[in-house]
Amino acid sequence: MASDKSIVMGQQIMEYRKIDEQMYTNVVQSHPQIVFPVEQSPEWGRFQDHIPDRTYIGTYLINDGQKQLATASLLHFKMKGYGYVWINNGPTLLTEKVSGHELASLVATLKQLVNREVNQSSLFIRLSLPAKEGGVRPAYSKSLLERTTVVDLTQDFDTILASMSQGARRGMRKAQKAGITIREVPTHEASSHFEPYHAIMRETAARDQFFAHPIATYTSMLGDLGEHVRFYAAFQNDTPIAWAIVTIYGRHGTYYYGASNEAARQESAPYLLHIEIMRALKDDGVVSYDFLGIGSPNYPGLQGVTEFKLRFGGEVKSYQPTYDLPLKMGLYRAWKLAEKTKHRLRNH
């Protein structure tokens, strides 16, 4: 454990220590009021470690005196000519009220942690905070989630259905009449025979003009997340036509990846798929279903799916702002200028 109590620019460096999966589970269980993002779990770090140019540094518990203040899971991303540390959807604050001074000290602690624990060269730390403290600045990226829509699964399921748009319920009935069936496929079975599902993803990516990950990304996710991941698929005559990977952490579900082919779209299978996923999650005690992102000024690439996701009647919520904490200011400024130039050239 680091126990340096020195002052850096008026900010106290807090204690931190690396924790394993069991210790992290203990922290989650001792803070039932906190939503722990799956991206901040050690299991997610293990999954990311299998993706080229990404390194899982570790998950850390940060204490302010005797109080557990936050957890932070660190990933190092290696890009062309530089690297950075991403605390994806974190750090997770373990108390509902955190002062500006505590946030500034937390940022200073994370900076020291990265300088001590990360061997790879890093230009900046990317992290999410409720307020701009500790010398951070708005993150420069065109692909950061700002808003999402979340369905409350604690309601009676008839109430959940009634809150959906007529289009969503009509799509559900159309898929049912077409004989579409929804099944949870065991993750080991899906990952070992993923090519038909990946073909659907490649078709979806080509149609909607986005990047499909290599097949190993999806199979690693299904293997590495263990009990925190499920795979659901829509079938027509025993042939898969749509699917979804759903993560579950701390009784909160998230629709992480999914795809549908033209046959699924014609029969409105995605509506039935997600409604049945929510029904299954609710039956298992999951309290919410997050559709993981809708369109926003900083993520215009999601505008195409926003209308679809909003039809399920969830509450629109904002994510905490994402910031960059420069570690090498001169190089960070040069990188940011280069990124702006590349973006401008791509859009002319």
Side-chain angles (χ1 to χ4, degrees):
M1 177 189 292
S3 57
D4 187 345
K5 290 293 186 179
S6 60
I7 303 299
V8 179
M9 296 178 62
Q11 298 159 4
Q12 181 173 298
I13 301 299
M14 301 173 181
E15 295 180 349
Y16 60 84
R17 60 171 170 155
K18 196 172 187 177
I19 58 177
D20 59 20
E21 290 182 20
Q22 184 56 58
M23 296 170 69
Y24 185 80
T25 298
N26 293 342
V27 173
V28 172
Q29 292 176 345
S30 63
H31 295 83
Q33 78 282 10
I34 302 298
V35 177
F36 287 81
V38 67
E39 298 92 347
Q40 283 298 291
S41 68
E43 294 90 343
W44 185 267
R46 184 173 63 234
F47 154 52
Q48 292 287 295
D49 220 19
H50 286 120
I51 299 176
D53 296 325
R54 300 182 188 182
T55 303
Y56 173 50
I57 305 301
T59 299
Y60 295 82
L61 175 63
I62 300 166
N63 298 322
D64 184 11
Q66 297 300 313
K67 180 176 69 175
Q68 293 183 345
L69 183 68
T71 62
S73 187
L74 278 59
L75 297 169
H76 184 272
F77 278 59
K78 182 180 179 182
M79 306 294 281
K80 291 183 179 179
Y82 72 98
Y84 67 95
V85 172
W86 192 9
I87 306 175
N88 187 0
N89 210 3
T92 304
L93 301 177
L94 302 179
T95 179
E96 294 180 359
K97 292 185 179 181
V98 180
S99 69
H101 176 74
E102 286 177 315
L103 282 178
S105 293
L106 174 60
V107 170
T109 301
L110 291 170
K111 183 175 182 179
Q112 179 168 292
L113 192 163
V114 167
N115 286 333
R116 288 183 173 181
E117 302 290 331
V118 180
N119 294 324
Q120 298 96 326
S121 178
S122 303
L123 291 184
F124 59 91
I125 304 170
R126 180 157 288 168
L127 71 170
S128 299
L129 295 170
K132 187 179 179 182
E133 298 285 352
V136 300
R137 54 194 60 206
Y140 181 74
S141 176
K142 297 297 181 183
S143 59
L144 293 172
L145 296 175
E146 293 178 313
R147 299 186 303 161
T148 188
T149 177
V150 181
V151 177
D152 178 5
L153 298 182
T154 65
Q155 307 172 89
D156 179 83
F157 204 76
D158 287 340
T159 302
I160 294 174
L161 285 173
S163 69
M164 297 181 189
S165 71
Q166 289 185 356
R169 295 194 298 271
R170 187 165 53 246
M172 174 190 71
R173 293 191 294 269
K174 180 179 179 181
Q176 290 171 330
K177 290 179 180 178
I180 305 299
T181 58
I182 309 301
R183 298 204 300 265
E184 180 183 351
V185 181
T187 53
H188 65 87
E189 178 183 324
S191 61
S192 61
H193 300 89
F194 202 78
E195 177 52 39
Y197 302 113
H198 198 243
I200 298 172
M201 173 57 81
R202 294 195 300 271
E203 178 180 332
T204 304
R207 181 186 66 231
D208 295 340
Q209 298 183 325
F210 67 86
F211 172 75
H213 293 292
I215 193 169
T217 298
Y218 307 105
T219 56
S220 293
M221 186 177 188
L222 293 172
D224 291 335
L225 293 189
E227 63 181 8
H228 301 297
V229 65
R230 296 185 186 180
F231 187 86
Y232 296 90
F235 293 86
Q236 186 175 46
N237 299 324
D238 290 326
T239 299
I241 59 175
W243 57 266
I245 293 177
V246 176
T247 61
I248 302 172
Y249 215 92
R251 298 179 68 205
H252 298 276
T254 301
Y255 165 44
Y256 226 93
Y257 293 119
S260 57
N261 64 18
E262 188 57 36
R265 288 163 61 90
Q266 289 179 359
E267 301 297 352
S268 297
Y271 290 106
L272 180 61
L273 174 63
H274 287 284
I275 288 171
E276 291 305 312
I277 288 173
M278 285 187 273
R279 192 191 305 274
L281 295 183
K282 177 177 173 58
D283 288 346
D284 287 343
V286 177
V287 300
S288 66
Y289 188 55
D290 188 338
F291 277 87
L292 194 66
I294 55 177
S296 66
N298 205 35
Y299 208 154
L302 286 181
Q303 293 290 0
V305 300
T306 297
E307 182 179 353
F308 169 76
K309 292 181 177 182
L310 290 177
R311 287 178 175 172
F312 292 94
E315 178 185 356
V316 174
K317 296 185 177 182
S318 296
Y319 291 104
Q320 287 189 153
T322 303
Y323 298 101
D324 287 346
L325 175 64
L327 299 175
K328 300 175 182 177
M329 183 60 74
L331 291 176
Y332 176 80
R333 287 173 175 165
W335 165 79
K336 188 174 178 180
L337 178 61
E339 290 295 301
K340 286 182 177 179
T341 301
K342 285 192 293 185
H343 181 73
R344 186 166 57 248
L345 291 175
R346 282 196 300 263
N347 289 275
H348 280 81

